[in-house]
């Protein structure tokens, strides 16, 4: 297995080698993937074992109150009970510990642990392979106490999401989809991304906070633009250098709270060399030559974008 050392966002693109592996039925995940999943499953089982032990102790104690409190159990292990409206205070029984709330807390912990397990397994593949597999919701009403999930159930969810594609191809498709969603012209727009020699112009990408501009004369990106910049830089790094590790850190010396619109910011990517911001939200990206700009434009499928009037 080989990896490349192309730089983007200050990080090494370690994904190139492993992302190109096509999915096979007999070898769906790597040994490293399997090791992570097995360790997560082992830790989950340890936690569930402790939950089950306490659950057994408290449900045994609850049997003392089966008749007096009319207890019953739901499918997920929660207990239903009836408290007396006017407890008998002729003795001290109303001071006794009753395990009902503890039982329900343990049933809730059982559900939370199973949901966390699903999130960790699928989150691992999302982070490792730059894909966006949604985490399934575990039904807390039907999840039984004592249930032990298998990590391959969640791995199969990941594989199904790929639809027969490689991790790399899936990551590329999802990245391009996010990027096109970001840069596509709105319904009333008269402009769209445009290839201009060794530059590409992207209108209406970021929004600068009017308050900071009016009172401090500073170009500060508003909160919504922070994620937009990450998605934008991710796309530029892929379009320019064919890597999947781009982020806003690739724009050298950029301070999002004080953007200088008079200069070109240097980039850490090889084929994209500079980025310039404009007060109207436009961003220009400069490349090392016309060929690199054209390659990025086509790789990101920017030629597919259309204005409403076209």
């Amino acid at each position: 297995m080989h990896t490349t050392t192309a730089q983007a966002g200050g990080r090494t693109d370690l994904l190139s080698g492993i992302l190109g592996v096509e999915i096979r039925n007999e070898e769906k995940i790597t040994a490293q993937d399997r090791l992570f999943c097995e360790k997560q499953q082992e830790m989950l089982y340890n936690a569930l074992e402790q939950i089950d032990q306490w659950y057994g102790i408290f449900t045994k104690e609850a049997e003392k109150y089966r008749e007096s409190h009319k207890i019953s159990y739901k499918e997920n292990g929660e207990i239903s009970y009836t408290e007396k409206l006017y407890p008998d205070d002729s003795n001290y029984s109303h001071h006794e510990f009753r395990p009902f709330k503890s039982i329900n807390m343990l049933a809730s912990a059982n559900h939370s642990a199973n949901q966390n397990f699903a999130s960790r397994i699928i989150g691992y593949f999302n982070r490792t392979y730059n894909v966006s597999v949604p985490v399934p919701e575990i039904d807390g009403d039907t999840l039984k106490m004592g249930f032990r999930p298998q990590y391959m159930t969640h791995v199969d969810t990941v594989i199904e999401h790929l639809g027969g594609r490689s991790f790399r191809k899936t990551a590329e498709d999802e990245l391009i989809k996010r990027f096109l969603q970001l840069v596509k012209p709105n319904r009333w727009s008269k402009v769209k991304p445009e290839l201009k020699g060794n530059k590409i112009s992207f209108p209406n990408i970021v929004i600068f906070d009017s308050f900071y501009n009016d009172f401090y004369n500073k170009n500060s990106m508003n909160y919504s633009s922070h994620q937009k910049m990450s998605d934008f830089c991710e796309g530029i790094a892929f379009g320019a250098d064919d890597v999947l590790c781009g982020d806003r850190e690739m724009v050298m010396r950029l301070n999002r709270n004080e953007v200088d619109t008079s200069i070109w910011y240097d980039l850490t990517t090889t084929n994209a060399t500079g980025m310039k911001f404009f007060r109207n939200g436009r961003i220009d990206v400069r490349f090392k030559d016309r060929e690199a700009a054209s390659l990025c434009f086509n790789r990101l499928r920017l030629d597919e974008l259309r204005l409403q009037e076209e």
Side-chain angles (χ1 to χ4, degrees), residues 29-174:
I29 58 177
T30 67
Q32 183 176 353
D33 298 337
R34 190 173 295 108
L35 182 63
F36 173 86
C37 293
E38 289 174 349
K39 183 62 177 177
Q40 289 295 315
Q41 183 168 297
E42 178 186 355
M43 292 190 295
L44 172 70
Y45 283 11
N46 289 338
L48 292 178
E49 184 66 28
Q50 195 249 22
I51 290 172
D52 286 348
Q53 287 177 0
W54 283 109
Y55 185 81
I57 293 171
F58 287 134
T59 52
K60 183 178 180 180
E61 178 68 17
E63 285 302 309
K64 298 178 182 179
Y65 306 97
R66 177 169 289 279
E67 298 301 327
S68 62
H69 288 70
K70 298 180 174 58
I71 68 171
S72 61
Y73 290 92
K74 300 178 183 178
E75 186 176 357
N76 64 355
E78 290 182 354
I79 190 170
S80 298
Y81 58 96
T82 302
E83 288 280 16
K84 293 182 179 180
L85 185 60
Y86 301 104
D88 182 8
D89 59 0
S90 62
N91 53 35
Y92 290 90
S93 62
H94 58 290
H95 293 295
E96 293 177 358
F97 166 76
R98 295 184 176 89
F100 308 139
K101 292 182 179 179
S102 297
I103 289 172
N104 288 341
M105 287 177 61
L106 289 167
S108 177
N110 181 63
H111 171 251
S112 297
N114 277 273
Q115 185 66 63
N116 192 15
F117 179 64
S119 298
R120 290 191 183 192
I121 296 299
I122 292 180
Y124 164 82
F125 285 96
N126 283 341
R127 292 189 305 274
T128 303
Y129 298 105
N130 274 28
V131 291
S132 302
V133 183
V135 179
E137 290 293 328
I138 307 299
D139 189 347
D141 293 329
T142 59
L143 180 67
K144 291 179 171 57
M145 297 296 296
F147 175 72
R148 296 293 185 270
Q150 299 289 324
Y151 72 80
M152 276 306 301
T153 300
H154 301 306
V155 171
D156 288 343
T157 299
V158 174
I159 301 304
E160 182 180 351
H161 177 82
L162 300 181
R165 299 169 296 176
S166 69
F167 279 107
R168 172 79 190 200
K169 184 62 169 63
T170 303
E172 289 179 0
D173 289 346
E174 292 180 351

Side-chain angles (χ1 to χ4, degrees), residues 276-291:
K276 192 174 192 302
F277 297 85
F278 295 82
R279 277 288 305 149
N280 62 1
R282 172 181 140 197
I283 299 178
D284 283 1
V285 180
R286 184 174 59 196
F287 297 82
K288 68 177 185 179
D289 52 39
R290 298 170 64 95
E291 290 72 20

